[in-house]
Amino acid sequence: MATSDRLKMLIDYFPTAINTGQCLVFISEDWRVELREQNNPSFGQNSKNVPIIRVRVFKKALNGEFVPGHYEDFQIEPVGELASQIERYIQNAIGRNIRENV
């Protein structure tokens, strides 16, 4: 599965993200954040077929593994507004500026 066009557009907004070919990842010593496009057409698609970007937040546990925490689905048409809302969500979830580093 290749990186979607929507995720490729988001790379310009998040210069610290790593493109794995399947998702965009922000990673630090304590956090991992993934942005993935949901590909199931029946999963919450609206009449305009705006893709859903799922943002998953992982926190590093004491054993060193990243444990999945919460996630949120974003379905916003203009990429600039989508990036802005995702950035706000991540910053509030982890308490750090993702444009510098997670």
Side-chain angles (χ1 to χ4, degrees):
M1 173 187 352
T3 305
S4 75
D5 290 337
R6 194 97 165 137
L7 288 178
K8 286 178 185 175
M9 286 187 270
L10 286 172
I11 291 171
D12 293 336
Y13 291 91
F14 302 116
T16 60
I18 298 164
N19 182 351
T20 69
Q22 296 181 344
C23 66
L24 299 184
V25 176
F26 303 91
I27 194 160
S28 74
E29 204 170 296
D30 299 318
W31 297 97
R32 175 184 173 96
V33 178
E34 294 179 356
L35 278 65
R36 268 185 210 273
E37 185 172 325
Q38 297 301 115
N39 293 320
N40 184 345
S42 64
F43 179 75
Q45 293 288 336
N46 64 16
S47 61
K48 295 180 184 177
N49 290 325
V50 175
I52 295 172
I53 302 297
R54 177 165 286 176
V55 179
R56 296 181 66 197
V57 178
F58 300 80
K59 173 110 173 106
K60 189 176 264 186
L62 293 176
N63 66 4
E65 293 185 27
F66 286 103
V67 178
H70 49 281
Y71 70 88
E72 191 66 44
D73 293 335
F74 291 82
Q75 194 172 24
I76 300 171
E77 179 66 39
V79 175
E81 179 63 18
L82 173 65
S84 174
Q85 293 303 314
I86 288 173
E87 181 175 18
R88 287 179 64 199
Y89 174 77
I90 294 171
Q91 286 179 200
N92 285 315
I94 68 172
R96 292 175 124 168
N97 183 342
I98 62 170
R99 288 197 180 265
E100 295 169 8
N101 61 33
V102 178

